Amino acid sequence: MTDTAALARRFVETLQRRDWEAWAALMTVDVVYEMPQTRERIAGREGYLEFNRTYPGEWELTPYVVIGDGTQAVVWFTWRLDGSEAGDAQAFFEFDDAGLITKVTDFWPEPYDPPARPEGLIERW
């Protein structure tokens, strides 16, 4: 059985370090990333990578709780933006049989208008 909790924790740790190669290796090429509060979706690892590389400001993620079973995991974390406490959030992960992440859904504290992004990176629904 895949240790999805350990993989989800590693996802957050590599993201926090901006270790893009290790972070991207945790996901399938066609991973889907969704943020329901802003109605944004990114399909594909390269777009998701670009989204994080270009996210405005200096952000930090600190996990509180990580829970996983054989196919899913959730991370409850706090985040800071430009040195200020920004709140708690949760990321839900789905995995394939090889232990790679196929989908990430982030739930942030409040709905918000997303920052401007490069053309064609994000699909809005």
Side-chain angles (χ1 to χ4, degrees), residues 15-88:
L15 183 59
Q16 170 59 33
R17 288 193 317 262
R18 291 12 174 223
D19 183 347
W20 302 123
E21 187 175 331
W23 180 76
L26 298 171
M27 297 174 275
T28 60
V29 172
D30 59 349
V31 66
V32 174
Y33 175 61
E34 292 184 342
M35 293 175 291
Q37 278 100 341
T38 58
R39 300 178 344 271
E40 294 175 287
R41 176 182 298 119
I42 298 172
R45 185 171 57 200
E46 289 304 313
Y48 192 17
L49 177 60
E50 182 66 16
F51 172 84
N52 282 290
R53 281 185 180 166
T54 62
Y55 199 89
E58 187 61 32
W59 43 268
E60 301 171 48
L61 310 173
T62 305
Y64 287 125
V65 178
V66 182
I67 301 169
D69 64 16
T71 61
Q72 300 176 54
V74 62
V75 177
W76 175 15
F77 60 95
T78 186
W79 63 291
R80 298 175 63 82
L81 183 61
D82 296 327
S84 296
E85 189 72 31
D88 289 358

